[in-house]
């Protein structure tokens, strides 16, 4: 299944991901007016939480349908320029194009099961681009990533499942892991094991 086809059928819900919320709260409790960047935002499950807790929110997805549905949900926040949306492939984003990020000393980059659809080398390239942007613009970068480390059967989308050790090696090239957690889900016989980590990006 392709993402465009998926989002033509899916509307999402209003509930943010519990693991992402926990890591965001712990990571940003002492930060002053951080910006929130959600790549692979879908129809905005985590965006609603972000709009209630962060000064500026950037929502990115490769699916035009997903972004259109998100824009319909949060039209007021777009008009007041608290929410910025874009259709883009996270492998080739020009972070300098998001002028809104220049006003924030701290940027929270959130990956809620998006990078897992990229091969390991592409995941590394995305994290490198975040680190490079923060370094060049004197920003404190915090990266929160949630991904599958085990799935009991094949599902509709291609997923590149890598071990916790390999995931950590990729992230530790560009930052320091400050916190991690695991969540096991068992729904109708589909068992999924998720790993979430908070990384403080290092200047390159």
């Amino acid at each position: 299944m392709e993402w465009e086809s998926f989002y033509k059928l899916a509307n999402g819900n209003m509930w943010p991901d519990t693991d992402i919320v926990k890591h965001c709260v712990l990571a940003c409790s002492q930060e002053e007016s951080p910006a929130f960047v959600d790549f692979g935002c879908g129809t905005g499950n985590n965006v609603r939480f972000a709009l209630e807790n962060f000064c500026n929110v950037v929502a990115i997805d490769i699916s035009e349908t997903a972004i259109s549905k998100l824009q319909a949900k949060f039209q007021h926040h777009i008009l007041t320029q608290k929410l910025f949306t874009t259709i883009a492939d996270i492998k080739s984003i020009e972070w300098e194009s998001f002028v809104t990020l220049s006003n924030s000393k701290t940027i929270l980059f959130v990956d809620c099961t998006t990078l897992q659809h990229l091969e390991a080398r592409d995941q590394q390239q995305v994290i490198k681009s975040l680190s490079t942007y923060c370094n060049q613009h004197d920003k404190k970068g915090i990266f929160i990533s949630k991904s599958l480390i085990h799935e009991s059967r094949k599902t509709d989308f291609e997923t590149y499942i890598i071990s916790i050790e390999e995931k950590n090696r990729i992230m530790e090239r560009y930052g320091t892991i400050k916190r991690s957690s695991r969540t096991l889900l068992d729904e109708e016989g589909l068992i999924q094991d998720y790993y979430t980590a908070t990384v403080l990006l290092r200047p390159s």
Side-chain angles (χ1 to χ4, degrees), residues 127-141:
I127 300 169
K128 180 181 179 181
S129 74
L130 306 183
S131 177
T132 299
Y133 171 81
C134 290
N135 183 51
Q136 290 176 344
H137 297 273
D138 195 27
K139 306 291 185 184
K140 180 179 181 180

Side-chain angles (χ1 to χ4, degrees), residues 19-192:
D19 295 319
I20 293 296
V21 169
K22 288 179 180 177
H23 278 254
C24 286
V25 170
L26 291 170
C28 293
S29 59
Q30 305 298 319
E31 301 298 330
E32 181 181 348
S33 300
F36 183 103
V37 178
D38 185 359
F39 47 81
C41 61
T43 58
N45 294 15
N46 292 318
V47 168
R48 188 181 303 276
F49 157 76
L51 288 168
E52 293 173 353
N53 294 277
F54 296 89
C55 63
N56 289 306
V57 180
V58 175
I60 304 165
D61 203 281
I62 199 171
S63 167
E64 182 177 351
T65 300
I67 291 294
S68 293
K69 290 185 176 183
L70 184 147
Q71 290 171 334
K73 289 181 184 179
F74 303 108
Q75 187 175 19
H76 170 72
H77 297 89
I78 294 171
L79 291 173
T80 57
Q81 296 190 322
K82 183 167 184 177
L83 172 63
F84 298 81
T85 63
T86 190
I87 301 164
D89 185 336
I90 60 172
K91 290 186 292 184
S92 55
I93 288 176
E94 294 293 334
W95 294 107
E96 285 77 6
S97 65
F98 297 104
V99 177
T100 181
L101 298 181
S102 64
N103 299 322
S104 301
K105 294 181 179 179
T106 302
I107 303 174
L108 181 65
F109 298 97
V110 175
D111 153 43
C112 186
T113 68
T114 296
L115 285 190
Q116 68 186 32
H117 299 291
L118 304 179
E119 294 185 61
R121 65 176 180 272
D122 291 325
Q123 293 189 34
Q124 179 172 303
Q125 185 59 39
V126 171
I127 300 169
K128 180 181 179 181
S129 74
L130 306 183
S131 177
T132 299
Y133 171 81
C134 290
N135 183 51
Q136 290 176 344
H137 297 273
D138 195 27
K139 306 291 185 184
K140 180 179 181 180
I142 301 172
F143 174 57
I144 296 177
S145 180
K146 178 175 181 175
S147 56
L148 274 170
I149 55 173
H150 171 74
E151 190 169 43
S152 63
R153 67 170 183 261
K154 187 174 177 61
T155 50
D156 291 337
F157 291 100
E158 187 168 25
T159 303
Y160 296 91
I161 294 178
I162 60 179
S163 67
I164 290 177
E165 291 74 22
E166 184 175 2
K167 183 79 173 181
N168 286 349
R169 279 197 299 272
I170 291 172
M171 295 189 293
E172 287 173 341
R173 293 192 66 174
Y174 306 102
T176 302
I177 298 173
K178 307 297 289 186
R179 186 175 297 105
S180 64
S181 62
R182 288 177 68 175
T183 301
L184 187 67
L185 296 180
D186 186 350
E187 297 178 347
E188 299 179 355
L190 175 61
I191 299 171
Q192 295 175 310

